[in-house]
Amino acid sequence: MMLERVNSPTSDFGRTVGNAFVRKLSSLALLSQMDLAALAGVCAHSRWEPARKDLVHEDLAPSGALVLLEGFACRYRRLSDGGRQILSFLLPGDLCDLDHNLPSGRDYAIGTLSVCNVAWISSTNYSELLSSHSTVAAALRTAKLLEEAILRDWLVGLGRRHAPERLARLLCELLERAQAVGLASADRCHLPIMQVDFGDATGLSTVHISRSLQALRLAGLLEIVARRLHVIDLPRLHAFCEFSPMRARLGDGFAVEASAITWGAA
Amino acid sequence: MMLERVNSPTSDFGRTVGNAFVRKLSSLALLSQMDLAALAGVCAHSRWEPARKDLVHEDLAPSGALVLLEGFACRYRRLSDGGRQILSFLLPGDLCDLDHNLPSGRDYAIGTLSVCNVAWISSTNYSELLSSHSTVAAALRTAKLLEEAILRDWLVGLGRRHAPERLARLLCELLERAQAVGLASADRCHLPIMQVDFGDATGLSTVHISRSLQALRLAGLLEIVARRLHVIDLPRLHAFCEFSPMRARLGDGFAVEASAITWGAA
DNA sequence: CGAACTTTTGATATCACTCAAGGGACGTGG
DNA sequence: CCACGTCCCTTGAGTGATATCAAAAGTTCG
């Protein structure tokens, strides 16, 4: 069985077609050749950053936008007691707008979780991209709406769900998002995220993450081995944590196909 | 002593100048006479709705936008176990975009908490307002950024703060927002919100809200009597829950003034 | 003035946290 | 290739925060 293999018409491995950014936006809107060229141009210069490094922190405020091409990162906030709350995970293909976030300065930082390949877009290039490529702008707007929906989901989870459900939902979300950029099969994906990070995202302690994960494993729902998530029973997992896939993506053949197969096997 | 009195140059009571919507947007951008007229026009037809009524629910999807002119409401989500998580409170002057929220349908409902005066804006009027009044559009964008920042704050609170701090921060937020639309003095405001609602917003049980509130009262920080919040020691309250006022509002003389007085008394 | 709703109080139960120690995995240097 | 250190995950025991249940007290409103 081929892991990470995705049913994309144009390549064996999703990552070989353009970059994750192009792939993600392509799944959200029908981009023209010129749009694609502009996206490629804007990501031409990227840098590798080490794991566990701040790309942006609260005071220091670079402008423009940042695109994560490979690796995992997160937005987070630090508290006075040293605690950390992760606000969202950034996966390959995700863009983070640094200009339009700030009424009175940014209130969060962005840090890598794994080694990351990051493209920085200057303010001028960014606003030009938006103004002269309306389809790209529309795709980014949709991406933003999805992000907001996820944030609301997290809020509901933190407020009203128990640890195992919270964790399970997070894993479902990550699997789905990885699939959307061609980095996951129907039931597996690489997840370079430590248990501390899961804890800081779900508002739980590391110890409790460990125990919740074990509960999910014992229930035969999933397992995580060597930084890889393997969902054993997706329908039951979804039912367990009341996760409903966001089918908000528009023209993406492969994602629809993959999920159809999954549900067919249920 | 005059409660609800606000140091606005144009009236004794904030509510008599235009409506809360106009007041709020005026504090976010410098509106022209034409902008003001357009805002007034768009809110011309408003309806009174009873307390505890759904204005919008998840399946049924009216379009356009909704403006809350008077009263308190909230966005919320229901869970399968009957639980409810409030995602944000809506105060007079708040607008809720019903069109641009939905990738795959709306994922939350909107319900009144008190009796409310609500203006519905049709999709066409709404998009016309945005396109032909760029300053209004900019003000609404800023308002949205503030909303998002508040949502992140809530997430951090739910994930990492204890009950009394969470509640205290919520009360600080509500006081500040009420001030921004001229519905509060420096230390008091009307708050037609029940303890169940505070619980559903902070992810706590009603019982625990009651106890946390008592802790805040015993600490001499604030009290709530007859649906009215009275902050007794604002600086200490802010310090206690690590609340920092969002000074993102731009040209609003009165809010700046009021807070200057407060801090001066500390 | 009474009924329904909201808040408070007390007692008990549960979920998740903290602390502390042990076990694996991985990398590094001898 | 092994020894060792470090980092991450796991396990167990005890504690703390918050939930639940039930009933009393207070409030609002017709």
Side-chain angles (χ1 to χ4, degrees):
Chain A
M1 179 175 190
M2 262 201 202
L3 305 187
E4 317 307 39
R5 174 116 199 240
V6 140
N7 204 354
S8 156
T10 40
S11 80
D12 277 358
F13 296 94
R15 54 160 50 99
T16 62
V17 197
N19 57 45
F21 188 43
V22 168
R23 267 176 278 141
K24 179 172 175 185
L25 296 197
S26 297
S27 80
L28 294 172
L30 252 169
L31 303 179
S32 70
Q33 285 303 322
M34 289 177 59
D35 293 332
L36 293 173
L39 290 182
V42 118
C43 294
H45 304 297
S46 63
R47 261 210 335 248
W48 283 95
E49 304 280 359
R52 322 237 128 232
K53 184 198 167 187
D54 272 7
L55 298 177
V56 171
H57 48 198
E58 312 200 15
D59 12 303
L60 187 68
S63 59
L66 158 179
V67 176
L68 188 57
L69 295 172
E70 295 190 54
F72 279 53
C74 68
R75 283 176 238 253
Y76 70 90
R77 188 127 121 217
R78 279 225 169 275
L79 291 132
S80 58
D81 64 358
R84 178 177 73 151
Q85 176 66 46
I86 291 182
L87 297 163
S88 65
F89 286 104
L90 299 176
L91 269 59
D94 286 337
L95 175 143
C96 186
D97 186 324
L98 301 173
D99 285 336
H100 296 172
N101 283 353
L102 23 147
S104 53
R106 200 185 350 277
D107 57 1
Y108 56 83
I110 299 177
T112 63
L113 298 173
S114 65
V115 171
C116 284
N117 190 18
V118 180
W120 297 89
I121 308 181
S122 72
S123 255
T124 53
N125 287 348
Y126 184 50
S127 56
E128 216 224 276
L129 177 69
L130 292 183
S131 58
S132 52
H133 295 270
S134 62
T135 315
V136 169
L140 286 173
R141 253 190 319 261
T142 306
K144 181 117 192 280
L145 292 178
L146 285 171
E147 262 177 45
E148 289 168 12
I150 290 176
L151 201 65
R152 286 192 293 269
D153 270 348
W154 282 32
L155 195 81
V156 174
L158 287 190
R160 291 293 176 213
R161 289 186 218 276
H162 287 181
E165 284 86 349
R166 265 187 243 178
L167 179 58
R169 287 180 66 85
L170 178 55
L171 295 173
C172 288
E173 175 203 322
L174 291 172
L175 177 63
E176 189 183 50
R177 289 174 60 190
Q179 285 168 352
V181 284
L183 293 174
S185 68
D187 61 350
R188 280 167 212 263
C189 72
H190 180 55
L191 231 47
I193 300 178
M194 293 189 323
Q195 295 197 357
V196 205
D197 304 317
F198 285 127
D200 288 344
T202 54
L204 298 164
S205 68
T206 335
V207 175
H208 210 59
I209 289 290
S210 174
R211 294 192 161 117
S212 302
L213 206 48
Q214 218 167 344
L216 296 175
R217 188 180 326 119
L218 289 178
L221 296 173
L222 56 81
E223 54 188 5
I224 296 186
V225 178
R227 297 282 116 103
R228 302 187 52 75
L229 166 66
H230 174 203
V231 175
I232 295 172
D233 191 336
L234 192 63
R236 256 182 65 228
L237 179 63
H238 283 179
F240 169 74
C241 63
E242 303 188 310
F243 182 85
S244 48
M246 298 216 187
R247 307 216 164 294
R249 286 165 257 126
L250 308 177
D252 59 342
F254 61 83
V256 171
E257 239 176 69
S259 64
I261 289 166
T262 300
W263 287 103
Chain B
M1 178 174 190
M2 261 199 202
L3 305 187
E4 317 305 37
R5 175 114 199 242
V6 140
N7 202 355
S8 156
T10 40
S11 80
D12 277 359
F13 296 94
R15 54 160 47 100
T16 61
V17 195
N19 57 43
F21 188 44
V22 168
R23 266 176 279 140
K24 179 172 175 186
L25 295 197
S26 297
S27 79
L28 294 171
L30 252 169
L31 303 178
S32 70
Q33 285 303 321
M34 288 176 61
D35 293 333
L36 294 172
L39 289 182
V42 118
C43 295
H45 304 295
S46 62
R47 261 212 331 249
W48 283 94
E49 304 281 357
R52 323 235 129 233
K53 183 197 169 189
D54 272 6
L55 299 177
V56 172
H57 45 198
E58 311 200 16
D59 13 303
L60 188 68
S63 59
L66 158 178
V67 176
L68 187 58
L69 295 172
E70 294 191 55
F72 279 53
C74 68
R75 283 177 239 251
Y76 70 91
R77 187 126 121 218
R78 279 224 169 277
L79 292 134
S80 58
D81 64 359
R84 177 176 74 151
Q85 176 66 46
I86 291 182
L87 297 163
S88 65
F89 286 106
L90 299 176
L91 269 60
D94 285 337
L95 174 144
C96 186
D97 186 324
L98 301 173
D99 286 336
H100 296 173
N101 282 353
L102 22 148
S104 53
R106 201 185 348 279
D107 55 1
Y108 56 83
I110 299 178
T112 64
L113 297 173
S114 67
V115 171
C116 285
N117 190 18
V118 180
W120 297 90
I121 307 180
S122 71
S123 254
T124 54
N125 287 349
Y126 184 50
S127 56
E128 215 223 277
L129 176 69
L130 293 183
S131 59
S132 53
H133 295 270
S134 62
T135 314
V136 170
L140 287 172
R141 252 189 320 261
T142 305
K144 181 117 192 278
L145 291 178
L146 286 171
E147 262 178 44
E148 288 167 12
I150 290 176
L151 201 65
R152 286 192 292 270
D153 271 348
W154 282 32
L155 195 81
V156 174
L158 288 190
R160 291 293 177 213
R161 288 187 218 275
H162 286 181
E165 284 86 349
R166 265 187 243 176
L167 179 58
R169 287 181 66 86
L170 178 55
L171 294 172
C172 288
E173 175 203 321
L174 291 172
L175 177 63
E176 190 183 49
R177 288 174 61 191
Q179 285 168 352
V181 285
L183 293 174
S185 69
D187 61 350
R188 281 168 212 261
C189 71
H190 180 55
L191 230 47
I193 299 178
M194 293 191 322
Q195 295 196 357
V196 205
D197 304 317
F198 285 128
D200 288 344
T202 54
L204 298 164
S205 68
T206 334
V207 175
H208 210 60
I209 289 290
S210 174
R211 295 192 160 116
S212 302
L213 206 48
Q214 218 166 343
L216 296 175
R217 189 180 325 119
L218 289 178
L221 296 174
L222 56 80
E223 56 189 4
I224 296 186
V225 179
R227 300 280 114 105
R228 300 188 52 74
L229 167 66
H230 174 203
V231 174
I232 294 170
D233 191 336
L234 192 62
R236 256 182 66 229
L237 179 62
H238 283 178
F240 169 74
C241 63
E242 303 188 309
F243 182 84
S244 48
M246 298 216 187
R247 306 215 164 295
R249 285 164 258 127
L250 308 177
D252 59 341
F254 61 85
V256 170
E257 238 176 71
S259 65
I261 290 167
T262 300
W263 287 104

